[in-house]
Amino acid sequence: MTVYKETISLQSHGQRPTFIDITTQVKETIAKSNIRNGICTVISPHTTCAVFFEEFVHDRDENGDEFLQTDLNNVLKKIIPDNTAQGQYNYPGEKHYQEVESWPEAEFYLPGGDRDALLNCDAHLKATLIGSSQIFDVEEGTLGVGTTGYIYFVDFDRARPRTRKCKIIIMGE
Amino acid sequence: MTVYKETISLQSHGQRPTFIDITTQVKETIAKSNIRNGICTVISPHTTCAVFFEEFVHDRDENGDEFLQTDLNNVLKKIIPDNTAQGQYNYPGEKHYQEVESWPEAEFYLPGGDRDALLNCDAHLKATLIGSSQIFDVEEGTLGVGTTGYIYFVDFDRARPRTRKCKIIIMGE
Amino acid sequence: MTVYKETISLQSHGQRPTFIDITTQVKETIAKSNIRNGICTVISPHTTCAVFFEEFVHDRDENGDEFLQTDLNNVLKKIIPDNTAQGQYNYPGEKHYQEVESWPEAEFYLPGGDRDALLNCDAHLKATLIGSSQIFDVEEGTLGVGTTGYIYFVDFDRARPRTRKCKIIIMGE
């Protein structure tokens, strides 16, 4: 029984949730692992990002998002509206702002000192609902999903483009 | 450390979400694995199905669904209404229809060419919210849950009865 | 490859959902395991509790809950209102009441025979949405999350204070 890991780097675009199809990278990681039989865990180490399993859709909206992603956004927005103003949610609070303002990298999180740049409460709550990890089957050295099943990494943070990490861990024999 | 797997076959009934109590099959798989100490992963390889952990309820509604299943359906319907008409959601889109119509097995997905048979956007989104995998404890060769905890496989697709697969993977020593 | 487990005991306060930051316990368990490379699974064996990954927030509301917890409660309440009266949800039903009333420990669940003490349907449904397990990366003997990421155990059951268990399982080499 062995463990094989890769950390992939992903680029989000900001403005709206960023959905990234990582199925190919997961399949490549399984192939490189030489593990024939076991499990594949996909993990977001970021608290505004999530991992989920969904059908690939050929139709895309005007932003380039697949239709099931647009529909997911619409459903989530109904219960967790975009965080566009201070006071809309409790988070971020005064201590949180002061904490971030004290960081050496404060300018990255609050460009020009603009506190609105931290309005991402909706992203935190959406990521909690969808979940930060998902497990898949590795059978005969391949990803054990049907032909229409794909793995997506989503960055719900609309505040700015970010470079994100996603961890792929294969365990088995 | 070893890996032991079983793929079980489950029958959905269509019309409404199909909830299947798979606790007995999970316990039997743990027993057959001879693994005393480790984890048990339960995975849906279908994008309209999910796995969750819930209390078993003796009361059932007029359809035979346990009361917590009826209540879950009611809550999910409020935010993700049943997909009953084209245009209600973005999915399924024109390219998706054309893709499925080009498949050799198109008649299975679109009986008589009726495009309404693909109206299952709600099932995709509900499955994404609940999640396609869940992990349980294996301790002393048994499923490490309390006496009231059960494992359910749910097929949210109401379009037609289907034969589904569920993967049970035990890893440990 | 080895397996290392700990079951931690947690105290809920009732009245409202109890959120418990278990990040320190998870990190200590990883340290004790001597596993350098693998996965860490965190599991709730209770059907009204869940596990999730979220940012730690310095601001707290009047109850002592972190702001993202208050916001999560508000969002979940909108779709799953607190279960405060019989008949509000299908659950709990007559057979469920009779079952619990037949248990030797019935007085614990229904103090003084008050059936309202079982009104926790909302807790069951919220736990199903959030999920009973989550997996994390173990890299170089430490928990592989960023500096702002924390692990929370939540008991959604408001009915009474309870002692709960949470399982932490490390697997790897």
Side-chain angles (χ1 to χ4, degrees):
Chain A
M1 176 94 61
T2 54
V3 183
Y4 183 87
K5 284 189 198 184
E6 295 228 345
T7 299
I8 60 174
S9 187
L10 302 167
Q11 186 62 40
S12 72
H13 47 58
Q15 306 296 329
R16 62 184 197 284
T18 302
F19 293 90
I20 304 174
D21 173 2
I22 58 170
T23 317
T24 301
Q25 288 101 314
V26 172
K27 288 180 174 175
E28 286 171 356
T29 304
I30 293 173
K32 280 193 256 180
S33 75
N34 285 319
I35 289 170
R36 302 289 303 165
N37 189 31
I39 58 173
C40 169
T41 306
V42 184
I43 299 171
S44 154
H46 307 287
T47 56
T48 53
C49 302
V51 174
F52 66 99
F53 178 58
E54 185 55 283
E55 188 179 56
F56 169 75
V57 179
H58 292 81
D59 306 85
R60 292 175 185 270
D61 68 14
E62 69 280 10
N63 291 316
D65 292 332
E66 297 175 27
F67 271 10
L68 278 172
Q69 297 164 0
T70 317
D71 290 321
L72 181 63
N73 281 339
N74 290 341
V75 160
L76 290 176
K77 249 187 210 176
K78 277 196 294 184
I79 53 174
I80 308 171
D82 282 358
N83 188 184
T84 56
Q86 294 175 44
Q88 180 186 1
Y89 292 95
N90 290 276
Y91 176 91
E94 184 57 31
K95 287 186 185 169
H96 184 75
Y97 276 123
Q98 291 177 6
E99 173 79 15
V100 175
E101 285 164 352
S102 76
W103 292 351
E105 67 275 34
E107 179 61 23
F108 174 73
Y109 290 98
L110 296 161
D114 178 10
R115 284 189 162 195
D116 283 356
L118 281 188
L119 297 176
N120 66 355
C121 182
D122 59 311
H124 284 285
L125 302 181
K126 289 171 187 171
T128 296
L129 275 192
I130 302 299
S132 60
S133 63
Q134 210 62 252
I135 302 199
F136 302 92
D137 179 27
V138 174
E139 59 176 11
E140 299 181 20
T142 64
L143 178 66
V145 300
T147 50
T148 61
Y150 283 69
I151 303 171
Y152 293 91
F153 177 94
V154 52
D155 183 351
F156 286 113
D157 201 336
R158 299 165 300 97
R160 80 192 75 83
R162 298 279 282 274
T163 302
R164 299 299 203 171
K165 287 178 186 166
C166 178
K167 303 189 178 198
I168 305 169
I169 306 178
I170 324 292
M171 289 178 70
E173 54 198 13
Chain B
M1 176 94 58
T2 54
V3 183
Y4 182 86
K5 285 189 199 185
E6 294 227 348
T7 299
I8 60 175
S9 188
L10 302 167
Q11 186 61 41
S12 72
H13 47 58
Q15 305 296 329
R16 62 183 197 283
T18 302
F19 293 91
I20 304 174
D21 173 2
I22 58 169
T23 315
T24 301
Q25 289 100 314
V26 172
K27 288 180 174 174
E28 287 172 354
T29 305
I30 292 172
K32 280 193 256 179
S33 76
N34 285 320
I35 290 170
R36 301 291 302 167
N37 189 31
I39 58 173
C40 168
T41 306
V42 183
I43 300 171
S44 154
H46 307 286
T47 56
T48 53
C49 302
V51 174
F52 65 98
F53 178 57
E54 185 55 282
E55 188 178 55
F56 169 74
V57 179
H58 292 80
D59 304 87
R60 293 174 185 272
D61 68 14
E62 69 280 10
N63 290 317
D65 292 333
E66 297 176 25
F67 272 10
L68 278 171
Q69 297 164 0
T70 316
D71 289 321
L72 181 63
N73 280 339
N74 290 342
V75 159
L76 290 175
K77 249 187 211 178
K78 278 196 294 185
I79 53 174
I80 308 171
D82 283 357
N83 188 184
T84 55
Q86 293 176 43
Q88 181 185 1
Y89 293 94
N90 291 276
Y91 176 90
E94 184 57 31
K95 287 185 185 170
H96 184 74
Y97 277 123
Q98 292 177 5
E99 173 79 14
V100 175
E101 286 164 351
S102 76
W103 293 350
E105 68 275 34
E107 179 62 23
F108 174 73
Y109 290 98
L110 297 161
D114 179 10
R115 284 189 161 193
D116 283 356
L118 281 187
L119 298 175
N120 66 355
C121 182
D122 59 310
H124 284 285
L125 302 181
K126 289 171 187 171
T128 296
L129 276 192
I130 303 298
S132 61
S133 63
Q134 210 62 251
I135 303 200
F136 302 92
D137 179 27
V138 175
E139 60 176 10
E140 300 182 18
T142 64
L143 179 65
V145 300
T147 50
T148 61
Y150 283 69
I151 304 171
Y152 294 91
F153 178 94
V154 51
D155 183 351
F156 286 113
D157 201 334
R158 300 166 299 97
R160 79 192 76 83
R162 299 278 283 273
T163 302
R164 300 299 205 170
K165 288 178 186 167
C166 178
K167 302 188 178 198
I168 305 169
I169 307 177
I170 323 292
M171 289 178 68
E173 54 198 14
Chain C
M1 177 93 62
T2 54
V3 183
Y4 182 87
K5 285 189 197 185
E6 295 228 346
T7 299
I8 60 175
S9 188
L10 302 167
Q11 185 62 40
S12 71
H13 47 58
Q15 306 295 328
R16 62 183 198 284
T18 302
F19 292 91
I20 304 174
D21 173 3
I22 57 169
T23 316
T24 300
Q25 289 100 314
V26 172
K27 287 180 175 175
E28 286 172 355
T29 305
I30 292 173
K32 280 192 255 178
S33 76
N34 285 319
I35 289 170
R36 303 289 302 167
N37 189 31
I39 59 173
C40 168
T41 305
V42 183
I43 299 172
S44 155
H46 307 288
T47 56
T48 53
C49 302
V51 174
F52 66 98
F53 178 58
E54 185 55 283
E55 188 178 57
F56 169 75
V57 179
H58 292 81
D59 305 85
R60 292 174 185 270
D61 68 14
E62 69 280 10
N63 291 316
D65 291 333
E66 297 175 26
F67 271 10
L68 279 171
Q69 297 164 0
T70 317
D71 290 321
L72 181 62
N73 280 339
N74 290 341
V75 160
L76 290 175
K77 249 187 212 177
K78 278 196 294 185
I79 52 173
I80 307 171
D82 283 357
N83 187 183
T84 56
Q86 293 175 43
Q88 181 185 0
Y89 293 93
N90 291 275
Y91 176 90
E94 183 57 31
K95 287 186 185 169
H96 184 75
Y97 277 123
Q98 292 177 5
E99 173 78 15
V100 175
E101 285 163 351
S102 76
W103 293 350
E105 68 275 34
E107 179 61 24
F108 174 73
Y109 290 98
L110 296 162
D114 179 9
R115 284 189 160 194
D116 283 357
L118 281 188
L119 297 176
N120 67 354
C121 182
D122 59 310
H124 284 286
L125 302 181
K126 289 171 187 172
T128 297
L129 275 191
I130 302 298
S132 60
S133 63
Q134 210 63 251
I135 302 200
F136 302 93
D137 179 27
V138 175
E139 59 177 12
E140 300 181 18
T142 63
L143 179 65
V145 300
T147 50
T148 61
Y150 283 69
I151 302 171
Y152 293 91
F153 178 93
V154 52
D155 183 351
F156 286 113
D157 200 334
R158 299 166 299 97
R160 80 191 74 83
R162 298 279 283 274
T163 302
R164 299 299 204 171
K165 287 178 186 167
C166 179
K167 302 189 178 197
I168 305 170
I169 306 177
I170 324 293
M171 289 177 70
E173 54 197 13

